């Protein structure tokens, strides 16, 4: 089940194409301020009105998420992208759905996601055999890159998930906008571009 708001349709489009190629059953609810401002509507028209529901706000009001998401549906994943207000509303309506059913795509960090104390801590990179001190004013990614530790990253805001790294020891202080609450509690991975440590030392699989 795809839900898009405004420009949030952009990352949803390739997901739809992938679902279509895989032969998966899917639907799209796409809202925007007006029909004239909603992009890619002609491209989406080929899939038919039974799968694509266009919902211009000036004609129909806000998206009716209570109807769409009222009851958890088995074997169904929800993918949503759009403004923060839409993402929060979808999160609220999906609170009773199975863990891992909801996937959010953000253009910016969630409100308050990166807040918290910034103290220094040590990180051991197990594969590289290097231990580095991460100062209060720098990220794990920045310090690791300066030291020649191979790291992969992109957004540096905790929204894309490219820098996800396995945590072997220690407790991460999650400040990303990607992981679910269940994944945060497990503490087995972290986004090293923004997240920090609750313990004096972390051991990462990098």
């Amino acid at each position: 089940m795809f839900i898009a708001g405004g420009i949030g349709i952009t990352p949803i489009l390739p997901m739809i194409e992938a679902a279509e190629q895989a032969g998966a059953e899917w639907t799209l609810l796409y809202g925007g301020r007006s029909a004239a401002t909603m992009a890619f509507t002609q491209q989406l028209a080929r899939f038919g009105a039974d799968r694509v529901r266009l919902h211009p706000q000036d004609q129909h009001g806000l998206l009716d998420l209570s109807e769409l998401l009222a009851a958890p549906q088995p074997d169904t994943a929800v993918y949503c992208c759009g403004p923060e207000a839409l993402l929060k509303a979808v999160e609220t309506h999906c609170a009773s759905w199975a863990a891992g059913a909801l996937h959010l795509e953000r253009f910016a960090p969630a409100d308050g996601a990166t807040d918290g104390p910034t103290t220094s801590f040590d990180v051991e990179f197990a594969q590289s055999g290097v231990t580095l001190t991460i100062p209060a004013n720098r990220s794990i990614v920045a310090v690791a890159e300066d030291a020649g530790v191979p790291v992969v990253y992109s957004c540096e805001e905790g929204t894309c998930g490219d820098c996800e790294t396995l945590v072997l020891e220690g407790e991460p202080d999650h400040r990303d906008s990607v992981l679910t609450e269940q994944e945060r509690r497990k503490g087995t991975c972290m986004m090293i571009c923004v997240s920090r440590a609750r313990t004096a030392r972390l051991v990462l699989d990098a």
Side-chain angles (χ1 to χ4, degrees), residues 167 169-173 187 196-199 201-202:
V167 178
E169 291 181 29
E171 183 182 356
D173 179 5
R196 302 189 69 80
R198 296 186 183 278
T199 48
R201 180 173 172 272
L202 293 174

Side-chain angles (χ1 to χ4, degrees), residues 1-4 8-28 43-44 46-47 51 77-82 103-107 159-160:
M1 186 184 300
F2 298 110
I3 303 172
I9 189 62
T10 307
I12 294 292
L13 280 178
M15 299 182 197
I16 289 175
E17 294 292 349
E20 185 72 4
Q21 291 177 15
E25 296 182 13
W26 62 269
T27 59
L28 167 67
Q43 183 176 336
L44 290 165
R46 66 188 175 96
F47 295 117
R51 286 197 288 180
V78 178
Y79 289 84
C80 179
C81 185
H103 308 267
L104 301 178
E105 184 81 16
R106 282 184 160 91
F107 293 116
T159 58
C160 74

Side-chain angles (χ1 to χ4, degrees), residues 111-125:
D111 293 341
T114 58
D115 295 346
T118 53
T119 56
S120 64
F121 56 95
D122 291 336
V123 173
E124 177 185 340
F125 297 89

Side-chain angles (χ1 to χ4, degrees), residues 36-59:
T37 63
M38 295 171 67
F40 307 112
T41 53
Q42 290 186 343
Q43 183 176 336
L44 290 165
R46 66 188 175 96
F47 295 117
D50 57 330
R51 286 197 288 180
V52 176
R53 290 172 54 192
L54 302 181
H55 198 98
Q57 186 176 338
D58 62 346
Q59 298 178 31

Side-chain angles (χ1 to χ4, degrees), residues 64 176 206:
D64 189 357
D176 65 275

Side-chain angles (χ1 to χ4, degrees), residues 193-205:
C193 69
V194 290
S195 296
R196 302 189 69 80
R198 296 186 183 278
T199 48
R201 180 173 172 272
L202 293 174
V203 181
L204 302 181
D205 187 20

